[in-house]
Amino acid sequence: MDIDAEGNLLQSPTDYKYPTLERQQSYYNPLQTFNLDKGALKHYQQQYSDVYFIRLAKLKPAVEAIADGEWKDFEIAGEIVRRVDRVLDVRQGELCWVAGTVYMDMPLKPNILDDISKDHWISAPPPREKYLSLTGEDQIFLEDESGRVRLIGTPLQLSMLVTGCIVAAMGTENANGEFDVIDIKVPDLPRQPQRWERDEGSEVLATGIGRKRKSEAGGKRTEGGKIAIVSGLRYSGDQGDTMTLDLLMEYLLGEVCGPPEQTEIRKISRLIIAGNSIAAATPLAAREDEKKVSKKYGYDSSAYNPAPTTHFDNFLATLLPSIPITLIPGESDPANVSLPQQPIHPAMLPRSRNYAAMPDSKEPGWFDSVTNPWEGDIDGWRMMGTGGQPIDDVFKYVEGEDRLEMMEYLLRWRCGAPTAPDTLWCYPFQDKDPFIIEECPHVFFVGNQPKYGTMVIEGPAGQTVRLICVPRFKETGEVVLLDTDTLEPAIIKFDVYEGGT
């Protein structure tokens, strides 16, 4: 503080005009791809087999078109490969190719039928890190509505395959009835919409006049903003684990830095929370002198710990006056377990829900609690994200550890959750499979991953997709900042100095 000539600390008010910083706005247009029907329209009587039939019927033409283009007139030892329509039409010794659904027969996979058949009521075994068998008992099958055939061959070791993905395989059937694979094709990336395509199309339908882009409307395009993506906050209710969360909150509000940094922070136009905002359920410890009371419907309200949800609600309510938030549920959040997880109910967040849209509103609110998986348009870019469960489940099928490669294969399979409903719980869809990727996103992010990673992949028609592994904030203290002009991500790390000797 300045001291005048007489040593007086008191100063007259300054005439300096401090600049007013405003949060940069973004164009936000979410899709409702994964919203389920409500009430009596949602039921579980139907069979899960419909999901596989729909998936095969939808993706089979795409993979067949690619296979036909690659393998047409393909010849080995004077024999030209031919296409067969069904798995059971494969003939021994004939060079052919066929499309179908991959099924991984793995003894270490969880099997509900085996659990029911065992008459031993014991506690559930701990979840396995991998389903791979060390003794080589795993088998790969290709199946369709007619039947299945076992696949063998070197290409299977070079390609990533999991239950539920649709592929085309070329080869011959041997004397043992096994299909010896020579090559494999996948549906690959679907059509990718142009930037602003959906926003401009919606405006044309509504008014008959397309909305001009910012570059056209203003003559000079305004500077692009940034999107903050974080996952794995894991509020537990303990006061001692909120220091880094408080630092994150104050950073997003611009309270922990000076004017130069605040100028950059104001460019963060939206916060996306990608799952596991609440830690796994931790009931309150019972006191010794507490009397045993009867539980209504098997639930003891006195043992429920509301602190994690309350702290998370306060975190959101503090940020929402300054920045819009998209909240994706995760495995440990208070939402349904099966995919697609529906939005966290507003009653769980009484302070934050004041910023949400009205129940019957067609426009998203400042606080948008969405599904998992989720997709939508932000600043014209098509974005798709999950809380991490599909990648975590695919990880158990394969030998590698590269999460980015798994994300790439999900897009090239055109299926956001291929292992559902085999080893990943999902709703028994009957008329559609929303996990089929109809349009290729520009950005695909997955939350709650062990570490940060990013790469760009390209498709056969010039598609480019930015892949982002979002790390668990609770363990790493890292937040991803995505530039909406270049789609280049950056990492901001928060940590608390513990002191040292």
Side-chain angles (χ1 to χ4, degrees), residues 34-36 336 338-342 371-373 425-427 429 434-435:
F34 302 99
N35 287 75
L36 298 178
N336 58 299
S338 60
L339 295 183
Q341 287 182 288
Q342 297 305 286
T371 61
N372 174 30
W425 292 358
C426 78
Y427 180 77
F429 294 98
F435 301 119

Side-chain angles (χ1 to χ4, degrees), residues 73-87:
D73 299 329
F74 183 81
E75 182 178 341
I76 295 181
E79 183 180 3
I80 298 178
V81 65
R82 70 181 185 90
R83 169 193 168 187
V84 296
D85 294 328
R86 304 185 308 160
V87 167

Side-chain angles (χ1 to χ4, degrees), residues 66-131:
I66 292 177
D68 187 63
E70 292 288 334
W71 297 333
K72 188 176 182 180
D73 299 329
F74 183 81
E75 182 178 341
I76 295 181
E79 183 180 3
I80 298 178
V81 65
R82 70 181 185 90
R83 169 193 168 187
V84 296
D85 294 328
R86 304 185 308 160
V87 167
L88 290 187
D89 293 335
V90 175
R91 294 294 178 262
Q92 182 178 333
E94 293 185 1
L95 181 64
C96 63
W97 64 268
V98 63
T101 306
V102 172
Y103 175 73
M104 308 288 290
D105 185 10
M106 312 174 81
L108 297 184
K109 280 196 313 182
N111 190 324
I112 185 62
L113 297 179
D114 289 345
D115 295 339
I116 294 175
S117 63
K118 296 177 181 178
D119 191 19
H120 300 287
W121 296 98
I122 58 176
S123 59
R128 300 182 185 275
E129 183 178 356
K130 292 281 190 179
Y131 297 145

Side-chain angles (χ1 to χ4, degrees), residues 3-194:
I3 303 177
D4 61 12
E6 299 179 357
N8 191 356
L9 293 175
L10 297 178
Q11 299 289 321
S12 59
T14 179
D15 294 331
Y16 177 75
K17 301 295 183 181
Y18 289 94
T20 301
L21 298 178
E22 295 184 358
R23 180 80 63 179
Q24 188 160 327
Q25 296 184 356
S26 66
Y27 295 91
Y28 181 66
N29 193 358
L31 289 164
Q32 310 297 324
T33 307
F34 302 99
N35 287 75
L36 298 178
D37 295 327
K38 301 182 183 299
L41 297 177
K42 183 171 64 174
H43 50 82
Y44 293 83
Q45 288 82 6
Q46 59 269 31
Q47 294 292 323
Y48 281 95
S49 59
D50 291 336
V51 177
Y52 291 115
F53 292 146
I54 295 170
R55 189 177 302 171
L56 180 60
K58 189 74 175 179
L59 295 179
K60 189 175 181 179
V63 73
E64 285 182 336
I66 292 177
D68 187 63
E70 292 288 334
W71 297 333
K72 188 176 182 180
D73 299 329
F74 183 81
E75 182 178 341
I76 295 181
E79 183 180 3
I80 298 178
V81 65
R82 70 181 185 90
R83 169 193 168 187
V84 296
D85 294 328
R86 304 185 308 160
V87 167
L88 290 187
D89 293 335
V90 175
R91 294 294 178 262
Q92 182 178 333
E94 293 185 1
L95 181 64
C96 63
W97 64 268
V98 63
T101 306
V102 172
Y103 175 73
M104 308 288 290
D105 185 10
M106 312 174 81
L108 297 184
K109 280 196 313 182
N111 190 324
I112 185 62
L113 297 179
D114 289 345
D115 295 339
I116 294 175
S117 63
K118 296 177 181 178
D119 191 19
H120 300 287
W121 296 98
I122 58 176
S123 59
R128 300 182 185 275
E129 183 178 356
K130 292 281 190 179
Y131 297 145
L132 294 171
S133 173
L134 299 178
T135 59
E137 299 178 64
D138 300 335
Q139 300 182 45
I140 305 177
F141 291 88
L142 188 70
E143 62 180 24
D144 59 13
E145 64 278 1
S146 67
R148 64 167 54 169
V149 62
R150 183 186 175 189
L151 304 181
I152 61 172
T154 304
L156 301 181
Q157 311 301 323
L158 305 177
S159 301
M160 185 179 296
L161 297 175
V162 299
T163 294
C165 63
I166 309 299
V167 302
M170 178 179 65
T172 59
E173 186 180 50
N174 59 23
N176 297 324
E178 301 165 332
F179 194 75
D180 194 350
V181 178
I182 300 174
D183 195 10
I184 290 178
K185 296 298 178 183
V186 297
D188 219 322
L189 302 184
R191 173 192 174 273
Q192 187 175 58
Q194 297 293 325

Side-chain angles (χ1 to χ4, degrees), residues 291-494:
K291 295 182 179 180
K292 293 184 178 180
V293 296
S294 59
K295 294 185 288 185
K296 186 176 182 181
Y297 306 122
Y299 166 70
D300 185 3
S301 60
S302 63
Y304 170 67
N305 184 7
T309 307
T310 302
H311 288 319
F312 179 54
D313 186 27
N314 293 335
F315 171 82
L316 296 176
T318 305
L319 289 174
L320 280 168
S322 174
I323 183 172
I325 297 176
T326 298
L327 176 60
I328 301 174
E331 185 178 14
S332 62
D333 289 327
N336 58 299
V337 176
S338 60
L339 295 183
Q341 287 182 288
Q342 297 305 286
I344 296 176
H345 198 280
M348 303 296 298
L349 307 168
R351 293 187 61 194
S352 306
R353 66 181 178 184
N354 295 325
Y355 298 88
M358 297 298 292
D360 298 331
S361 175
K362 295 182 179 180
E363 297 294 328
W366 192 256
F367 171 55
D368 194 18
S369 181
V370 298
T371 61
N372 174 30
W374 169 85
E375 64 176 347
D377 294 347
I378 301 180
D379 285 343
W381 301 110
R382 175 64 52 83
M383 302 186 69
M384 177 179 174
T386 76
Q389 296 99 311
I391 292 297
D392 293 341
D393 202 52
V394 169
F395 172 80
K396 299 178 181 181
Y397 281 81
V398 299
E399 295 183 0
E401 306 281 335
D402 190 349
R403 303 292 181 113
L404 290 172
E405 184 183 8
M406 301 173 200
M407 294 172 62
E408 177 182 358
Y409 268 92
L410 251 64
L411 294 177
R412 298 198 185 277
W413 292 329
R414 298 194 189 185
C415 188
T419 58
D422 184 31
T423 52
L424 191 63
W425 292 358
C426 78
Y427 180 77
F429 294 98
Q430 193 171 19
D431 301 323
K432 64 176 182 178
D433 181 6
F435 301 119
I436 295 175
I437 302 174
E438 303 281 357
E439 291 185 322
C440 182
H442 298 99
V443 179
F444 179 34
F445 63 89
V446 175
N448 300 290
Q449 298 306 294
K451 62 180 181 179
Y452 166 75
T454 183
M455 66 181 291
V456 176
I457 63 172
E458 297 181 356
Q463 308 98 316
T464 58
V465 186
R466 166 68 66 178
L467 308 180
I468 303 175
C469 284
V470 184
R472 306 181 187 103
F473 182 83
K474 183 75 171 181
E475 300 173 4
T476 65
E478 294 177 344
V479 179
V480 179
L481 293 183
L482 180 67
D483 191 299
T484 56
D485 268 346
T486 63
L487 295 185
E488 287 289 337
I491 279 289
I492 301 293
K493 184 175 179 62
F494 299 86

